[in-house]
Amino acid sequence: MNNSLEERIEQIKMANATQRMNFFGRLLVDNREMSLWEHDTKLLSWGVRRWRRKALKFAREYIRPLATEADLHPHDYDPKPILSAAARQGFQTMLLTPPLGTASILPYYRNTVFQLAVIGEEFATECGGLTLLLLAHNLGVAPLLLSGSLRNILGQMIPFYLKSYILGRPDCMAFAITEPGAGSDVEETEGGALAKLVTTAKHAPEKGGYILNGRKCFISDGAIADKVTVFAKLENEGIESWTCFLVERGMQGFSVGRSERKLGQRASDASELIFDNVFIPNKNVVGKLRSGWAINRNVLNYSRPVVGAMALGHGRGAFERCLEFCRKTYLGPKHLIEYQDVQLELADMAMSLWAARSMIWHSCRQFRCYQSASASAKVFASDTAFKVCNQAMELMGDHGYLHAHGVERAWRDARLTQIYEGTNQINRLALFEHHLSTDFKV
Amino acid sequence: MEKEPVTNICAEDIVHYQDLARQYSRKSINPIFEGEYSDGNLSLLQEKLKTAFDIGIAAAPDESLSGCQYGVWGGAIDETGIIPSSLILSTIAETCGGVAMCLNAQGVASNLILQAKRKLTFIPVKVAVGLQEGFCPPFLGTITSPDKDDPAKSMTTAVQKGNNYIINGSKSFVYSMSGVDAYVVFACVGEKWGCFLVEAKGKGIEKTDVGVRTGLRACCVEHVKFNNVQIPLEARLDDGDARSLLIRAMSLNWMGMAAIAVGIARGAAAAARKYAAERYQGGMQIEEHPAVKMLIAGGESSIASADATLYSMQNGPLATFSGLKKSATAKLTVVDLCSRAVTDCLQSFGGYGYMEDYGMEKRLRDVTVLKSASGSPVYLKQLIFDIEKEGAL
């Protein structure tokens, strides 16, 4: 009865108070001391859990040491070692299962890209640019898989996968849809129908292929890619004739133009690709002729949850570094983390991230990714990540905008996720469009 | 009793200040951005800032310079109110937030020196003031009394020794034009604040650049340490208690930052409107797309609200706690509104907004720094609550 305040507080802490319950009551209380990350990891199936742990380890061992310099001096670092390391560990061949790829089998057949989304979050926690460098490659590969064409899968995807995983010498691939005059147009139905597209393929039956002319812009990994899946309309036809072609480095007439200077994700290039009478043999047509628009839209359906997960990673990176700052920094006699207003902000950030993760994981609960779930996950996660990065910067006061702390880098990286893979406005319309004949019937 | 600023400012004056700032932006700042990089060619900056002194936009404590009275936060603000300085800052920030921040920092420090109660033996031109130590500016308890641990007391001290003061301590995140002649330093003298003019080249001063930053890169930011710095008694600017000077400095700084945020947002909105009228998507100009209209209109309305908040400050007394509360509120709300406006306007550019080409990413970087700099939202909320709770101190 005469206990001090401290003693009373100690007694009513949940772990101690639980001891006063009966045995069955105690069994129903989860008092495990476990981090948020560990709690979430334990929700995953064995295969995905293994990749999550492996990705976290890779991110800390390979991405973290390179992140600051790659952001400050993106032209002065060599991306090949990290690409090779990722390939050797199986991160570059996640779109197929063993023996041809590396994705865990059971989770892959529950959802094709869930494991990539989990990996994307871990990588992006350390650096957005290097994550994009490693993951944009999957975007380049995806049309080969999603075309459903055995010719492309067996002839182009599998040899490349085997070379990548067995020899650790990956070819890097890129995905090229955006044109200087058509950004959002190629990501939305009505815009697509009205788009002024320039990149055109002319049939050349005498040569056994197509002649490609035009240009693409903002292509992630464009400057370093060995192969690019390029979308072009056929001569004298509109976007409904869009066809996907596999263009290889070294093909005559194919060159890389300017690399953009970006706000963030600077370790990965965003380049202009120029096609000047590039001859593409028939075997490099991906899928059927005129199936390009559908392949493109479906690639976006599969990539958007991963982009959302990358955004989540940026937010988590900012949160973790801010948390560390609050642990170390004193305000008067106490650390920042001991102040209740700081605790409220940190808790709010953690909850926002948790909500975004739940949405991304929920969007990956069926084998085929679908438009509305993918678009919603991408929009919610990227908006949340940007909000969390802003909160982290603000909480750190003037320290928030210093590059050395890494929070402002995450903030810059996160801002791009609201723009690429369709701006968040386009993604909102994608949700609406998908359910136009059901929920949103006019 | 502090003199309240006069409320009236005529339309002609407003046009005059805006014209002056626009001409300076066009002739002096725009050439900095003719190169490829979005932060401009900063090697040209010092020469352009010199022009700001020549035409009287930059305030200076030196009465022989034209900006002494009518430059940004010059000596005349007690008569003219804050609108002229706010107009100049926001107009310049439409082109470059960093240059505006230079003028703001210079103005705040100059204004303090112009309040000096005694004749100074040394009159500097370029000056800066350090308002925070460590993590953030002082909280209410510490503003009231610098030795009060509420939650963190001032660690910078000034001790009288013969005909000199000996200053020890440090100031963090000191914004300036770079290459300043002197610092205005607030230090604990017993239980009261003292305000001192310290020559930048004096013995015992150690300056460290804060390193790579997100934005406002035209403005120099450094940490300054004072190790047994000896200054004459005449270099003390206050007459025994510098609390009102500290409040004045904090108020002016925040109002200036709010004005800069408004300018950055206005620049972003103008750029977005221009781009939306030029860029075609889906077979028509993007300004015809509702998604783009919503973004730009949202930005414009945020700017209008921010403008109204800022200019409601015209009548506020500068060096009282109620004035401090108002300026803290202005910084908190105006910068937040403006940063939303900038990010919305950037979004209307799609991928080009993220690239350096249109300067939108620079605007976003600049306005975001303003949110965290010299008082984060959490700090400002705490201060506003404390002032309200303590009533009319």
Side-chain angles (χ1 to χ4, degrees), chain B residues 78-125:
Chain B
D78 290 323
E79 280 75 44
T80 62
I82 67 145
I83 283 184
S85 297
S86 299
L87 276 176
I88 293 172
L89 287 174
S90 62
T91 307
I92 289 172
E94 287 176 31
T95 310
C96 180
V99 171
M101 194 67 179
C102 286
L103 297 176
N104 184 52
Q106 168 73 19
V108 174
S110 299
N111 190 282
L112 297 177
I113 298 169
L114 290 166
Q115 308 298 318
K117 304 293 180 195
R118 58 182 66 81
K119 191 166 173 59
L120 299 169
T121 52
F122 157 66
I123 305 288
V125 176

Side-chain angles (χ1 to χ4, degrees), chain A residues 143-145 147-159 246 283-288:
Chain A
L144 300 175
L145 178 70
S147 68
S149 160
L150 281 178
R151 175 173 54 83
N152 296 118
I153 295 172
L154 295 173
Q156 282 141 347
M157 186 173 171
I158 289 174
L246 184 67
K283 71 179 175 68
N284 280 22
V285 174
V286 178
K288 288 173 66 179

Side-chain angles (χ1 to χ4, degrees), chain A residues 180 183 185 194 258 261 263-264 332-333 341 390 393-395 397-398 401 403 408 411-412 415-416 418 425, chain B residues 36 132 135 151 173 175 212-214 279 281-282 343 347 354-357 368 371-374 376-377 382:
Chain A
D185 279 349
L194 294 161
R258 63 176 264 165
R261 273 199 287 269
L263 172 62
D341 44 3
N390 271 306
M393 281 180 79
E394 288 169 21
L395 199 54
D398 288 81
Y401 57 76
H403 187 269
E408 68 92 42
W411 171 83
R412 287 186 284 114
R415 187 64 184 83
L416 182 55
Q418 294 178 304
Q425 285 66 33
Chain B
E36 263 188 283
Q132 69 186 66
F135 177 66
F173 297 100
Y175 277 77
V212 182
R213 289 171 283 139
T214 309
R279 170 81 175 176
Q281 200 79 60
T343 199
Q347 189 74 5
Y354 199 73
M355 310 304 165
E356 293 190 4
D357 305 49
T368 302
K371 273 203 288 187
S372 305
S374 304
S376 66
Q382 183 76 51

